[in-house]
Amino acid sequence: MGYGNPPDEPETGAGSDAPPAVRPLSATAGHVVPTWTSGVTDNALAEYLLRLGDDRLVLGQRLAEWCGHGPILEEDIALANISLDLFGQAALLLKLAGETEGKGRDEDALAFLRDAVEFRNVQLVELPKGDFGFTIARQFLFDAYSELCYAELARSTHAELAGIASKAHKEIRYHLRHSTDWILKLGDGTPESHARVQSAFDDLWRFTGELFESDDVDRAVAEQGIGVDPSTLRPRWRTRVEAVLAEATLRVPNDGVMASGGRRGRHTEYLGHMLAEMQSVARAHPGAQW
Amino acid sequence: MTSAFAGGTADVWAALREVPDPEVPVISVVELGIVRDVAVDGDAVTVTITPTYSGCPAMREIERDIVAALEVRGFARVAVRTTYTPAWTTAWIDDDAREKLRAYGIAPPGPPEGPDLIPLRRRRVVPCPYCGSERTTLRSEFGSTACKAIHFCDACRQPFEEFKAI
């Protein structure tokens, strides 16, 4: 199903009213695999921003599940703080995505009123939180990616995105230091902690490929200097991950078959359950304000 | 009630210097460095602020406090807008404010890091705000608010907070 439901796909019969600048996509052909060859339309950018925002929203929600359940008080606070930063970043990115899309959806509508198939996050971030070792291993893998991503986006030609990224970059560097410290402690710790965190990396590895997949949307926004082509980040990410795992006496898992599909709305069975809980209040009380 | 006097840009800055940060009330929002611009037009004023962290939960309260402080001074129309560039940095906290933080029991932020690669093992010294000892241990990278970390002083046996340098 291509990219799901591109927001600018005209309703049947409404095509004549569509602004001429918007590509008609292939809606009339009955299948939707848009090619963004004539430059970045707002919809490619909106799609790109949704991917950025959804990664952080979903991961933030998984971290928030530790609130009140952290292994020690300091980590309970740490995971909630990191979650808060991710929610803040997600709110800014989804707000911008909604404005770019131009259909009147704000960040709350995008967060709370979409179903799983409309989410564009990688599957890595939606996996259940597991034990503390699993949560930290996932966080480290994502932080290392996100730090590189934001460093590039801080130089985006899109002023607002560059502003969000330069701010978020400072926050993510702090997160990366925290998760790096824990990988060193757990990997180079007791036999129990070493085994658990190694097992976490082994289980997580096949979900890391999706972080660096790129498609027409990524390439289009990268060509315009707005976004970053994720595939270009992989060598630096790999260098960083290998260095930390080696220092932590951990083994880098072998690359095998990689999970894929989140960017196109294909998710694990876990996302729907997570969203059901996350969205329940907003859906039970439509339009409610704090 | 007499007609409001409102005022100029300098009056607005003076008023904002009396608005405390809700999480760290010993310094003002101006000293914290989050007030980026003030524009006065008659009895209307626009204050531009920037958040310390993307998800800082105190931003709305800060906006309300700014509006209240300026309305009291006679500005009929107060607008608070938020900007994200340039990104807030602890380098904007001046020396006076740093001393106030230290006296309040919060270690002031060190110099922000450069953009170079993050070291694998970091051991920076954060002196105790109570006794000045450098024999301190990081207990948690995160504290009671997004902007603070928790340390312990091995000399005077006091836990203390650090304003994180970003």
Side-chain angles (χ1 to χ4, degrees):
Chain A
M1 60 177 262
Y3 303 105
N5 306 304
D8 72 345
E9 187 177 340
E11 300 288 333
T12 308
S16 59
D17 295 332
V22 176
R23 284 174 61 86
L25 300 177
S26 48
T28 53
H31 65 91
V32 186
V33 183
T35 51
W36 312 102
T37 50
S38 64
V40 178
T41 67
D42 277 353
N43 285 332
L45 180 55
E47 176 78 12
Y48 182 73
L49 292 167
L50 272 186
R51 295 174 181 184
L52 291 175
D54 284 349
D55 280 352
R56 281 128 193 110
L57 174 65
V58 172
L59 184 56
Q61 179 68 15
R62 282 299 184 210
L63 285 176
E65 290 172 358
W66 280 100
C67 195
H69 301 274
I72 51 173
L73 179 60
E74 286 82 356
E75 280 314 295
D76 202 297
I77 295 168
L79 297 178
N81 265 281
I82 295 168
S83 172
L84 192 60
D85 284 344
L86 292 175
F87 284 149
Q89 295 169 14
L92 295 173
L93 291 163
L94 292 179
K95 178 170 183 284
L96 191 54
E99 290 165 359
T100 306
E101 178 192 72
K103 298 186 94 177
R105 294 199 286 185
D106 65 6
E107 63 272 31
D108 285 334
L110 288 170
F112 297 118
L113 301 177
R114 280 182 301 154
D115 293 326
V117 292
E118 297 167 276
F119 271 73
R120 294 292 178 264
N121 57 281
V122 291
Q123 294 176 3
L124 174 73
V125 297
E126 72 201 33
L127 301 174
K129 72 186 196 304
D131 62 13
F132 182 70
F134 186 90
T135 282
I136 286 293
R138 179 206 355 231
Q139 197 63 33
F140 167 68
L141 294 170
F142 183 82
D143 289 345
Y145 150 79
S146 190
E147 195 266 333
L148 294 168
C149 183
Y150 278 135
E152 299 284 333
L153 290 177
R155 295 193 291 271
S156 169
T157 55
H158 190 296
E160 206 166 336
L161 178 57
I164 295 168
S166 60
K167 173 134 214 74
H169 186 235
K170 288 166 175 275
E171 295 164 3
I172 216 77
R173 283 174 61 85
Y174 202 84
H175 300 177
L176 177 57
R177 218 160 46 190
H178 169 261
S179 55
T180 298
D181 272 358
W182 271 108
I183 297 306
L184 298 177
K185 275 183 211 165
L186 296 175
D188 195 12
T190 66
E192 171 82 10
S193 70
H194 177 93
R196 284 209 195 192
V197 76
Q198 181 66 63
S199 164
F201 278 114
D202 292 345
D203 290 343
L204 283 162
W205 200 254
R206 72 188 180 92
F207 292 96
T208 59
E210 200 179 6
L211 289 170
F212 307 102
E213 285 179 359
S214 55
D215 61 12
D216 289 344
V217 169
D218 298 300
R219 285 186 286 271
V221 292
E223 275 167 23
Q224 300 287 314
I226 294 175
V228 54
D229 180 342
S231 64
T232 62
L233 303 176
R234 185 162 207 169
R236 279 175 286 164
W237 176 84
R238 177 106 196 169
T239 302
R240 176 78 191 182
V241 169
E242 282 175 355
V244 172
L245 266 61
E247 181 81 5
T249 74
L250 293 164
R251 179 175 39 76
V252 178
N254 295 325
D255 286 336
V257 175
M258 290 289 179
S260 177
R263 299 290 190 221
R264 298 181 298 282
R266 283 204 290 272
H267 293 284
T268 66
E269 70 268 35
Y270 305 114
L271 182 63
H273 292 280
M274 194 204 86
L275 293 179
E277 183 180 357
M278 187 183 91
Q279 298 177 335
S280 61
V281 174
R283 292 197 186 235
H285 305 280
Q289 299 278 318
W290 286 110
Chain B
M1 191 171 155
T2 57
S3 167
F5 84 93
T9 305
D11 299 304
V12 174
W13 281 102
L16 295 176
R17 276 190 202 93
E18 289 172 21
V19 177
D21 175 80
E23 305 274 21
V24 190
V26 72
I27 61 172
S28 74
V29 291
V30 174
E31 289 174 308
L32 184 60
I34 62 174
V35 180
R36 304 313 301 161
D37 190 49
V38 167
V40 176
D41 180 12
D43 64 353
V45 58
T46 302
V47 178
T48 303
I49 59 174
T50 193
T52 54
Y53 287 80
S54 305
C56 177
M59 290 308 288
R60 266 188 218 175
E61 184 167 346
I62 289 172
E63 284 179 25
R64 278 199 299 269
D65 291 349
I66 287 175
V67 170
L70 293 174
E71 280 178 352
V72 161
R73 305 227 168 191
F75 289 96
R77 289 170 293 152
V78 182
V80 180
R81 60 175 285 271
T82 301
T83 183
Y84 294 92
T85 44
W88 179 79
T89 165
T90 41
W92 292 342
I93 300 176
D94 67 20
D95 288 345
D96 285 352
R98 281 163 196 268
E99 182 51 32
K100 288 182 191 172
L101 287 173
R102 200 200 54 72
Y104 189 59
I106 299 175
E113 294 181 349
D116 46 313
L117 196 65
I118 300 162
L120 281 193
R121 293 189 191 271
R122 170 191 57 137
R123 290 298 163 254
R124 70 199 158 79
V125 172
V126 178
C128 172
Y130 297 111
C131 74
S133 170
E134 296 191 344
R135 288 199 296 123
T136 63
T137 312
L138 176 67
R139 280 293 168 86
S140 172
E141 300 264 15
F142 297 86
S144 57
T145 67
C147 55
K148 284 177 279 180
I150 303 171
H151 297 256
F152 187 80
C153 178
D154 298 316
C156 72
R157 314 297 296 165
Q158 281 289 325
F160 65 90
E161 290 185 307
E162 174 211 9
F163 214 102
K164 289 155 36 175
I166 71 165

